[in-house]
Protein backbone atom coordinates (compact mmCIF):
# COMPACT_ATOMS: atom_id res chain seq x y z
CA UNK A 1 0.00 0.00 0.00
CA UNK A 2 1.09 3.57 -0.64
CA UNK A 3 2.27 5.58 2.33
CA UNK A 4 0.48 8.87 2.86
CA UNK A 5 2.54 9.99 5.85
CA UNK A 6 5.44 8.62 7.90
CA UNK A 7 6.51 9.89 11.33
CA UNK A 8 9.63 8.86 13.26
CA UNK A 9 9.55 9.48 17.03
CA UNK A 10 12.54 10.10 19.35
CA UNK A 11 11.89 6.80 21.18
CA UNK A 12 12.51 4.91 17.92
CA UNK A 13 8.86 4.26 17.15
CA UNK A 14 7.82 4.79 13.50
CA UNK A 15 4.23 5.43 12.44
CA UNK A 16 3.05 5.05 8.86
CA UNK A 17 -0.36 6.18 7.65
CA UNK A 18 -1.39 4.46 4.45
CA UNK A 19 -3.60 5.96 1.76
CA UNK A 20 -6.26 3.32 2.45
CA UNK A 21 -6.58 4.67 6.02
CA UNK A 22 -4.60 1.97 7.84
CA UNK A 23 -2.09 2.99 10.49
CA UNK A 24 1.08 0.96 11.02
CA UNK A 25 3.23 1.53 14.11
CA UNK A 26 6.65 -0.12 14.34
CA UNK A 27 8.37 -0.33 17.74
CA UNK A 28 12.15 -0.62 18.26
CA UNK A 29 11.86 -4.10 19.86
CA UNK A 30 10.34 -5.56 16.66
CA UNK A 31 6.70 -5.40 17.75
CA UNK A 32 4.34 -3.72 15.30
CA UNK A 33 0.70 -2.70 15.33
CA UNK A 34 -1.78 -2.32 12.48
CA UNK A 35 -4.98 -0.33 12.98
CA UNK A 36 -7.42 -1.03 10.15
CA UNK A 37 -9.03 1.73 8.12
CA UNK A 38 -12.23 1.19 10.15
CA UNK A 39 -10.31 2.23 13.29
CA UNK A 40 -11.77 -0.78 15.13
CA UNK A 41 -9.72 -3.70 13.82
CA UNK A 42 -6.33 -3.81 15.55
CA UNK A 43 -3.59 -6.39 15.08
CA UNK A 44 -0.46 -6.37 17.22
CA UNK A 45 2.37 -8.67 16.16
CA UNK A 46 4.84 -9.03 19.01
CA UNK A 47 8.58 -9.55 18.65
CA UNK A 48 8.24 -13.11 20.03
CA UNK A 49 5.73 -14.11 17.33
CA UNK A 50 2.58 -13.73 19.45
CA UNK A 51 -0.31 -12.02 17.66
CA UNK A 52 -3.21 -10.15 19.27
CA UNK A 53 -6.22 -9.19 17.17
CA UNK A 54 -9.07 -6.99 18.34
CA UNK A 55 -12.10 -7.24 16.09
CA UNK A 56 -14.78 -4.57 15.51
CA UNK A 57 -17.21 -6.46 17.83
CA UNK A 58 -14.52 -6.36 20.60
CA UNK A 59 -13.67 -10.05 20.20
CA UNK A 60 -10.01 -10.50 21.17
CA UNK A 61 -7.99 -13.29 19.54
CA UNK A 62 -4.56 -13.92 21.05
CA UNK A 63 -2.19 -16.42 19.44
CA UNK A 64 0.69 -17.67 21.60
CA UNK A 65 3.42 -18.57 19.11
CA UNK A 66 5.60 -20.73 21.38
CA UNK A 67 2.67 -22.81 22.65
CA UNK A 68 0.84 -22.72 19.29
CA UNK A 69 -2.31 -21.89 21.26
CA UNK A 70 -5.13 -19.50 20.38
CA UNK A 71 -7.15 -17.78 23.12
CA UNK A 72 -10.32 -16.06 21.90
CA UNK A 73 -12.36 -13.86 24.23
CA UNK A 74 -15.81 -12.88 22.95
CA UNK A 75 -17.65 -9.73 24.00
CA UNK A 76 -20.22 -11.83 25.92
CA UNK A 77 -17.40 -13.20 28.13
CA UNK A 78 -17.02 -16.64 26.53
CA UNK A 79 -13.37 -17.67 26.27
CA UNK A 80 -12.19 -20.39 23.87
CA UNK A 81 -8.70 -21.89 23.98
CA UNK A 82 -7.49 -23.98 21.06
CA UNK A 83 -4.32 -25.99 21.66
CA UNK A 84 -1.94 -27.35 19.04
CA UNK A 85 -2.85 -30.96 19.94
CA UNK A 86 -6.48 -30.32 18.98
CA UNK A 87 -7.81 -29.83 22.53
CA UNK A 88 -10.43 -27.09 22.80
CA UNK A 89 -11.56 -25.50 26.07
CA UNK A 90 -14.59 -23.26 26.45
CA UNK A 91 -14.80 -21.15 29.60
CA UNK A 92 -18.30 -19.72 30.00
CA UNK A 93 -19.05 -16.46 31.85
CA UNK A 94 -21.04 -18.38 34.50
CA UNK A 95 -17.93 -20.42 35.39
CA UNK A 96 -18.82 -23.65 33.54
CA UNK A 97 -16.00 -25.20 31.50
CA UNK A 98 -16.24 -27.58 28.56
CA UNK A 99 -13.12 -29.39 27.37
CA UNK A 100 -13.02 -31.33 24.11
CA UNK A 101 -9.96 -33.59 24.02
CA UNK A 102 -8.15 -34.68 20.84
CA UNK A 103 -9.91 -38.08 21.00
CA UNK A 104 -13.26 -36.17 21.03
CA UNK A 105 -13.99 -36.97 24.68
CA UNK A 106 -15.96 -34.05 26.12
CA UNK A 107 -15.61 -33.08 29.79
CA UNK A 108 -17.96 -30.58 31.41
CA UNK A 109 -16.97 -28.96 34.70
CA UNK A 110 -19.96 -27.35 36.40
CA UNK A 111 -19.83 -24.46 38.87
CA UNK A 112 -21.34 -26.60 41.65
CA UNK A 113 -18.35 -29.00 41.49
CA UNK A 114 -20.01 -31.73 39.43
CA UNK A 115 -18.26 -33.19 36.38
CA UNK A 116 -19.52 -35.02 33.33
CA UNK A 117 -17.39 -36.83 30.73
CA UNK A 118 -18.82 -38.08 27.45
CA UNK A 119 -16.57 -40.56 25.66
CA UNK A 120 -16.52 -41.21 21.91
CA UNK A 121 -18.05 -44.70 22.42
CA UNK A 122 -21.08 -43.12 24.13
CA UNK A 123 -20.07 -43.92 27.72
CA UNK A 124 -21.01 -41.12 30.13
CA UNK A 125 -19.33 -40.62 33.52
CA UNK A 126 -20.84 -38.22 36.05
CA UNK A 127 -18.98 -37.30 39.23
CA UNK A 128 -20.88 -35.62 42.07
CA UNK A 129 -19.39 -33.18 44.58
CA UNK A 130 -19.21 -35.92 47.22
CA UNK A 131 -17.02 -38.02 44.90
CA UNK A 132 -19.70 -40.57 44.00
CA UNK A 133 -19.61 -41.56 40.37
CA UNK A 134 -22.22 -42.82 37.91
CA UNK A 135 -21.08 -44.54 34.71
CA UNK A 136 -23.55 -45.19 31.90
CA UNK A 137 -22.17 -47.62 29.33
CA UNK A 138 -23.26 -47.74 25.72
CA UNK A 139 -24.42 -51.37 26.19
CA UNK A 140 -27.10 -50.27 28.66
CA UNK A 141 -25.19 -51.21 31.80
CA UNK A 142 -24.83 -48.66 34.57
CA UNK A 143 -22.39 -48.41 37.48
CA UNK A 144 -22.58 -46.42 40.68
CA UNK A 145 -19.41 -45.90 42.74
CA UNK A 146 -19.67 -44.52 46.29
CA UNK A 147 -17.36 -44.63 49.29
CA UNK A 148 -19.31 -47.68 50.58
CA UNK A 149 -19.82 -49.79 47.45
CA UNK A 150 -19.66 -50.25 43.68
CA UNK A 151 -22.90 -51.34 42.03
CA UNK A 152 -23.45 -52.50 38.45
CA UNK A 153 -26.95 -52.59 37.00
CA UNK A 154 -27.50 -54.74 33.92
CA UNK A 155 -30.19 -54.16 31.25
CA UNK A 156 -31.96 -57.39 32.27
CA UNK A 157 -32.49 -55.96 35.78
CA UNK A 158 -29.67 -57.88 37.51
CA UNK A 159 -27.84 -55.78 40.11
CA UNK A 160 -24.38 -56.71 41.42
CA UNK A 161 -22.96 -54.80 44.40
CA UNK A 162 -19.40 -55.07 45.70
CA UNK A 163 -18.94 -53.57 49.17
CA UNK A 164 -15.70 -52.05 50.44
CA UNK A 165 -15.11 -55.07 52.70
CA UNK A 166 -15.05 -57.23 49.54
CA UNK A 167 -18.45 -58.86 50.06
CA UNK A 168 -20.47 -59.26 46.85
CA UNK A 169 -24.23 -59.34 46.48
CA UNK A 170 -26.03 -60.20 43.24
CA UNK A 171 -29.80 -59.70 42.91
CA UNK A 172 -31.46 -61.30 39.92
CA UNK A 173 -34.75 -60.31 38.30
CA UNK A 174 -36.20 -63.69 39.34
CA UNK A 175 -35.82 -62.66 42.99
CA UNK A 176 -32.75 -64.85 43.56
CA UNK A 177 -30.07 -63.27 45.78
CA UNK A 178 -26.50 -64.59 45.96
CA UNK A 179 -23.98 -63.26 48.49
CA UNK A 180 -20.24 -64.05 48.43
CA UNK A 181 -17.60 -63.19 51.00
CA UNK A 182 -14.44 -61.24 50.13
CA UNK A 183 -12.74 -64.47 49.00
CA UNK A 184 -15.55 -65.41 46.61
CA UNK A 185 -17.12 -68.11 48.79
CA UNK A 186 -20.91 -68.26 48.55
CA UNK A 187 -22.38 -67.48 51.95
CA UNK A 188 -26.01 -67.17 50.85
CA UNK A 189 -27.94 -68.18 47.73
CA UNK A 190 -31.70 -67.95 47.66
CA UNK A 191 -32.95 -69.84 44.64
CA UNK A 192 -36.47 -69.07 43.61
Amino acid sequence: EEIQRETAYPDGKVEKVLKNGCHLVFFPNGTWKKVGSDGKTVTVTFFNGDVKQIMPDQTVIYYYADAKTTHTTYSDGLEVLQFSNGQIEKHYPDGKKEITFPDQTIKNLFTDGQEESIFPDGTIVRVQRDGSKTIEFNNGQRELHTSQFKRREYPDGTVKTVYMNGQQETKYVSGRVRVKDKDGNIIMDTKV
Side-chain angles (χ1 to χ4, degrees), residues 156-161 168-180 184-192:
D156 69 358
T158 301
V159 176
K160 182 175 183 177
T161 305
Q168 299 176 27
E169 176 185 88
T170 307
K171 294 181 180 178
Y172 298 92
V173 181
S174 64
R176 176 183 174 192
V177 177
R178 184 175 60 200
V179 179
K180 295 181 181 179
N185 301 312
I186 298 174
I187 53 177
M188 184 181 95
D189 194 349
T190 60
K191 295 181 180 170
V192 180

mmCIF file of all heavy atoms in Angstrom, residues 156-161 168-180 184-192:
data_model
loop_
_atom_site.group_PDB
_atom_site.id
_atom_site.type_symbol
_atom_site.label_atom_id
_atom_site.label_comp_id
_atom_site.label_asym_id
_atom_site.label_seq_id
_atom_site.Cartn_x
_atom_site.Cartn_y
_atom_site.Cartn_z
ATOM 1 N N ASP A 156 -30.930 -56.389 31.947
ATOM 2 C CA ASP A 156 -31.961 -57.387 32.266
ATOM 3 C C ASP A 156 -32.518 -57.216 33.681
ATOM 4 O O ASP A 156 -33.367 -57.985 34.122
ATOM 5 C CB ASP A 156 -31.417 -58.808 32.077
ATOM 6 C CG ASP A 156 -30.367 -59.208 33.109
ATOM 7 O OD1 ASP A 156 -30.001 -58.373 33.972
ATOM 8 O OD2 ASP A 156 -29.903 -60.371 33.046
ATOM 9 N N GLY A 157 -32.002 -56.219 34.435
ATOM 10 C CA GLY A 157 -32.491 -55.961 35.782
ATOM 11 C C GLY A 157 -31.598 -56.530 36.883
ATOM 12 O O GLY A 157 -31.817 -56.262 38.059
ATOM 13 N N THR A 158 -30.608 -57.338 36.530
ATOM 14 C CA THR A 158 -29.673 -57.880 37.511
ATOM 15 C C THR A 158 -28.855 -56.738 38.105
ATOM 16 O O THR A 158 -28.430 -55.833 37.392
ATOM 17 C CB THR A 158 -28.722 -58.911 36.846
ATOM 18 O OG1 THR A 158 -29.511 -59.960 36.288
ATOM 19 C CG2 THR A 158 -27.723 -59.482 37.837
ATOM 20 N N VAL A 159 -28.628 -56.815 39.423
ATOM 21 C CA VAL A 159 -27.836 -55.785 40.109
ATOM 22 C C VAL A 159 -26.759 -56.489 40.930
ATOM 23 O O VAL A 159 -27.062 -57.337 41.772
ATOM 24 C CB VAL A 159 -28.722 -54.917 41.042
ATOM 25 C CG1 VAL A 159 -27.867 -53.915 41.809
ATOM 26 C CG2 VAL A 159 -29.803 -54.211 40.243
ATOM 27 N N LYS A 160 -25.488 -56.131 40.667
ATOM 28 C CA LYS A 160 -24.380 -56.712 41.419
ATOM 29 C C LYS A 160 -23.711 -55.592 42.204
ATOM 30 O O LYS A 160 -23.319 -54.573 41.638
ATOM 31 C CB LYS A 160 -23.365 -57.366 40.483
ATOM 32 C CG LYS A 160 -22.221 -58.030 41.219
ATOM 33 C CD LYS A 160 -21.299 -58.780 40.274
ATOM 34 C CE LYS A 160 -20.208 -59.490 41.052
ATOM 35 N NZ LYS A 160 -19.345 -60.270 40.156
ATOM 36 N N THR A 161 -23.574 -55.804 43.527
ATOM 37 C CA THR A 161 -22.963 -54.800 44.396
ATOM 38 C C THR A 161 -21.735 -55.412 45.060
ATOM 39 O O THR A 161 -21.793 -56.528 45.578
ATOM 40 C CB THR A 161 -23.962 -54.342 45.483
ATOM 41 O OG1 THR A 161 -25.163 -53.882 44.843
ATOM 42 C CG2 THR A 161 -23.378 -53.220 46.324
ATOM 43 N N GLN A 168 -19.734 -59.490 48.093
ATOM 44 C CA GLN A 168 -20.469 -59.261 46.847
ATOM 45 C C GLN A 168 -21.901 -59.747 46.999
ATOM 46 O O GLN A 168 -22.138 -60.801 47.588
ATOM 47 C CB GLN A 168 -19.826 -60.044 45.693
ATOM 48 C CG GLN A 168 -18.412 -59.671 45.395
ATOM 49 C CD GLN A 168 -17.833 -60.575 44.313
ATOM 50 O OE1 GLN A 168 -18.555 -61.099 43.477
ATOM 51 N NE2 GLN A 168 -16.529 -60.758 44.343
ATOM 52 N N GLU A 169 -22.825 -58.960 46.435
ATOM 53 C CA GLU A 169 -24.231 -59.337 46.483
ATOM 54 C C GLU A 169 -24.788 -59.186 45.069
ATOM 55 O O GLU A 169 -24.637 -58.137 44.463
ATOM 56 C CB GLU A 169 -24.973 -58.411 47.445
ATOM 57 C CG GLU A 169 -26.474 -58.645 47.500
ATOM 58 C CD GLU A 169 -27.152 -57.610 48.380
ATOM 59 O OE1 GLU A 169 -27.504 -56.543 47.845
ATOM 60 O OE2 GLU A 169 -27.309 -57.871 49.588
ATOM 61 N N THR A 170 -25.416 -60.241 44.559
ATOM 62 C CA THR A 170 -26.030 -60.196 43.237
ATOM 63 C C THR A 170 -27.515 -60.483 43.388
ATOM 64 O O THR A 170 -27.901 -61.510 43.965
ATOM 65 C CB THR A 170 -25.394 -61.234 42.271
ATOM 66 O OG1 THR A 170 -23.982 -61.036 42.263
ATOM 67 C CG2 THR A 170 -25.939 -61.085 40.875
ATOM 68 N N LYS A 171 -28.338 -59.529 42.887
ATOM 69 C CA LYS A 171 -29.795 -59.701 42.915
ATOM 70 C C LYS A 171 -30.255 -59.886 41.480
ATOM 71 O O LYS A 171 -29.975 -59.051 40.617
ATOM 72 C CB LYS A 171 -30.472 -58.471 43.526
ATOM 73 C CG LYS A 171 -30.162 -58.270 44.994
ATOM 74 C CD LYS A 171 -30.879 -57.045 45.544
ATOM 75 C CE LYS A 171 -30.565 -56.858 47.008
ATOM 76 N NZ LYS A 171 -31.217 -55.655 47.554
ATOM 77 N N TYR A 172 -30.970 -60.983 41.254
ATOM 78 C CA TYR A 172 -31.458 -61.296 39.920
ATOM 79 C C TYR A 172 -32.920 -60.890 39.791
ATOM 80 O O TYR A 172 -33.632 -60.767 40.786
ATOM 81 C CB TYR A 172 -31.290 -62.801 39.647
ATOM 82 C CG TYR A 172 -29.834 -63.246 39.684
ATOM 83 C CD1 TYR A 172 -29.268 -63.710 40.871
ATOM 84 C CD2 TYR A 172 -29.045 -63.182 38.551
ATOM 85 C CE1 TYR A 172 -27.941 -64.116 40.921
ATOM 86 C CE2 TYR A 172 -27.716 -63.590 38.588
ATOM 87 C CZ TYR A 172 -27.172 -64.052 39.776
ATOM 88 O OH TYR A 172 -25.859 -64.437 39.814
ATOM 89 N N VAL A 173 -33.378 -60.703 38.573
ATOM 90 C CA VAL A 173 -34.753 -60.310 38.302
ATOM 91 C C VAL A 173 -35.736 -61.353 38.855
ATOM 92 O O VAL A 173 -36.819 -61.013 39.313
ATOM 93 C CB VAL A 173 -34.977 -60.141 36.776
ATOM 94 C CG1 VAL A 173 -36.395 -59.717 36.482
ATOM 95 C CG2 VAL A 173 -34.014 -59.120 36.219
ATOM 96 N N SER A 174 -35.333 -62.599 38.853
ATOM 97 C CA SER A 174 -36.197 -63.686 39.335
ATOM 98 C C SER A 174 -36.462 -63.587 40.845
ATOM 99 O O SER A 174 -37.325 -64.272 41.365
ATOM 100 C CB SER A 174 -35.536 -65.033 39.031
ATOM 101 O OG SER A 174 -34.319 -65.148 39.762
ATOM 102 N N GLY A 175 -35.679 -62.762 41.539
ATOM 103 C CA GLY A 175 -35.818 -62.664 42.988
ATOM 104 C C GLY A 175 -34.677 -63.368 43.711
ATOM 105 O O GLY A 175 -34.494 -63.215 44.916
ATOM 106 N N ARG A 176 -33.890 -64.141 42.977
ATOM 107 C CA ARG A 176 -32.751 -64.847 43.557
ATOM 108 C C ARG A 176 -31.727 -63.818 44.056
ATOM 109 O O ARG A 176 -31.478 -62.810 43.406
ATOM 110 C CB ARG A 176 -32.114 -65.744 42.499
ATOM 111 C CG ARG A 176 -30.876 -66.451 42.947
ATOM 112 C CD ARG A 176 -30.278 -67.267 41.813
ATOM 113 N NE ARG A 176 -29.008 -67.858 42.182
ATOM 114 C CZ ARG A 176 -28.175 -68.407 41.331
ATOM 115 N NH1 ARG A 176 -28.477 -68.463 40.044
ATOM 116 N NH2 ARG A 176 -27.038 -68.928 41.748
ATOM 117 N N VAL A 177 -31.130 -64.113 45.225
ATOM 118 C CA VAL A 177 -30.071 -63.272 45.779
ATOM 119 C C VAL A 177 -28.898 -64.186 46.123
ATOM 120 O O VAL A 177 -29.069 -65.198 46.818
ATOM 121 C CB VAL A 177 -30.543 -62.518 47.047
ATOM 122 C CG1 VAL A 177 -29.391 -61.717 47.643
ATOM 123 C CG2 VAL A 177 -31.727 -61.619 46.735
ATOM 124 N N ARG A 178 -27.702 -63.813 45.649
ATOM 125 C CA ARG A 178 -26.500 -64.588 45.956
ATOM 126 C C ARG A 178 -25.508 -63.642 46.614
ATOM 127 O O ARG A 178 -25.232 -62.563 46.109
ATOM 128 C CB ARG A 178 -25.895 -65.200 44.699
ATOM 129 C CG ARG A 178 -24.696 -66.090 45.012
ATOM 130 C CD ARG A 178 -24.149 -66.804 43.822
ATOM 131 N NE ARG A 178 -23.723 -65.816 42.836
ATOM 132 C CZ ARG A 178 -23.557 -66.069 41.546
ATOM 133 N NH1 ARG A 178 -23.799 -67.253 41.055
ATOM 134 N NH2 ARG A 178 -23.165 -65.123 40.728
ATOM 135 N N VAL A 179 -24.951 -64.069 47.762
ATOM 136 C CA VAL A 179 -23.977 -63.260 48.491
ATOM 137 C C VAL A 179 -22.690 -64.075 48.617
ATOM 138 O O VAL A 179 -22.721 -65.244 48.986
ATOM 139 C CB VAL A 179 -24.510 -62.866 49.895
ATOM 140 C CG1 VAL A 179 -23.475 -62.049 50.660
ATOM 141 C CG2 VAL A 179 -25.826 -62.098 49.778
ATOM 142 N N LYS A 180 -21.561 -63.424 48.291
ATOM 143 C CA LYS A 180 -20.241 -64.052 48.431
ATOM 144 C C LYS A 180 -19.398 -63.221 49.392
ATOM 145 O O LYS A 180 -19.528 -62.001 49.440
ATOM 146 C CB LYS A 180 -19.521 -64.098 47.078
ATOM 147 C CG LYS A 180 -20.184 -64.966 46.031
ATOM 148 C CD LYS A 180 -19.359 -64.944 44.743
ATOM 149 C CE LYS A 180 -19.985 -65.781 43.647
ATOM 150 N NZ LYS A 180 -19.184 -65.725 42.403
ATOM 151 N N GLY A 184 -14.758 -64.801 47.658
ATOM 152 C CA GLY A 184 -15.545 -65.408 46.605
ATOM 153 C C GLY A 184 -16.349 -66.623 47.015
ATOM 154 O O GLY A 184 -16.970 -67.281 46.180
ATOM 155 N N ASN A 185 -16.345 -66.963 48.304
ATOM 156 C CA ASN A 185 -17.118 -68.108 48.794
ATOM 157 C C ASN A 185 -18.575 -67.716 48.952
ATOM 158 O O ASN A 185 -18.883 -66.674 49.539
ATOM 159 C CB ASN A 185 -16.570 -68.586 50.165
ATOM 160 C CG ASN A 185 -15.116 -68.984 50.067
ATOM 161 O OD1 ASN A 185 -14.713 -69.715 49.189
ATOM 162 N ND2 ASN A 185 -14.312 -68.469 51.005
ATOM 163 N N ILE A 186 -19.475 -68.540 48.434
ATOM 164 C CA ILE A 186 -20.915 -68.263 48.547
ATOM 165 C C ILE A 186 -21.349 -68.449 49.994
ATOM 166 O O ILE A 186 -21.145 -69.519 50.572
ATOM 167 C CB ILE A 186 -21.734 -69.166 47.606
ATOM 168 C CG1 ILE A 186 -21.361 -68.891 46.150
ATOM 169 C CG2 ILE A 186 -23.230 -68.965 47.825
ATOM 170 C CD1 ILE A 186 -22.001 -69.807 45.134
ATOM 171 N N ILE A 187 -21.913 -67.379 50.560
ATOM 172 C CA ILE A 187 -22.381 -67.481 51.953
ATOM 173 C C ILE A 187 -23.913 -67.474 52.028
ATOM 174 O O ILE A 187 -24.482 -67.798 53.046
ATOM 175 C CB ILE A 187 -21.797 -66.371 52.842
ATOM 176 C CG1 ILE A 187 -22.020 -64.991 52.280
ATOM 177 C CG2 ILE A 187 -20.315 -66.584 53.080
ATOM 178 C CD1 ILE A 187 -21.515 -63.857 53.186
ATOM 179 N N MET A 188 -24.550 -67.115 50.897
ATOM 180 C CA MET A 188 -26.007 -67.174 50.848
ATOM 181 C C MET A 188 -26.423 -67.244 49.378
ATOM 182 O O MET A 188 -25.867 -66.553 48.537
ATOM 183 C CB MET A 188 -26.630 -65.923 51.483
ATOM 184 C CG MET A 188 -28.147 -65.994 51.544
ATOM 185 S SD MET A 188 -28.863 -64.510 52.269
ATOM 186 C CE MET A 188 -29.219 -63.577 50.815
ATOM 187 N N ASP A 189 -27.413 -68.097 49.090
ATOM 188 C CA ASP A 189 -27.937 -68.178 47.733
ATOM 189 C C ASP A 189 -29.398 -68.584 47.833
ATOM 190 O O ASP A 189 -29.685 -69.728 48.165
ATOM 191 C CB ASP A 189 -27.139 -69.177 46.890
ATOM 192 C CG ASP A 189 -27.433 -69.051 45.412
ATOM 193 O OD1 ASP A 189 -28.401 -68.345 45.018
ATOM 194 O OD2 ASP A 189 -26.686 -69.646 44.591
ATOM 195 N N THR A 190 -30.279 -67.629 47.606
ATOM 196 C CA THR A 190 -31.698 -67.954 47.661
ATOM 197 C C THR A 190 -32.157 -68.221 46.256
ATOM 198 O O THR A 190 -32.183 -67.318 45.416
ATOM 199 C CB THR A 190 -32.535 -66.793 48.245
ATOM 200 O OG1 THR A 190 -32.372 -65.657 47.425
ATOM 201 C CG2 THR A 190 -32.106 -66.484 49.662
ATOM 202 N N LYS A 191 -32.485 -69.473 45.969
ATOM 203 C CA LYS A 191 -32.948 -69.844 44.641
ATOM 204 C C LYS A 191 -34.458 -69.836 44.657
ATOM 205 O O LYS A 191 -35.078 -70.430 45.506
ATOM 206 C CB LYS A 191 -32.382 -71.205 44.242
ATOM 207 C CG LYS A 191 -30.885 -71.159 44.108
ATOM 208 C CD LYS A 191 -30.315 -72.492 43.693
ATOM 209 C CE LYS A 191 -28.815 -72.378 43.568
ATOM 210 N NZ LYS A 191 -28.151 -73.634 43.402
ATOM 211 N N VAL A 192 -35.023 -69.163 43.665
ATOM 212 C CA VAL A 192 -36.469 -69.065 43.612
ATOM 213 C C VAL A 192 -37.010 -70.044 42.608
ATOM 214 O O VAL A 192 -36.485 -70.313 41.604
ATOM 215 C CB VAL A 192 -36.892 -67.614 43.226
ATOM 216 C CG1 VAL A 192 -38.394 -67.517 43.161
ATOM 217 C CG2 VAL A 192 -36.329 -66.643 44.236
#
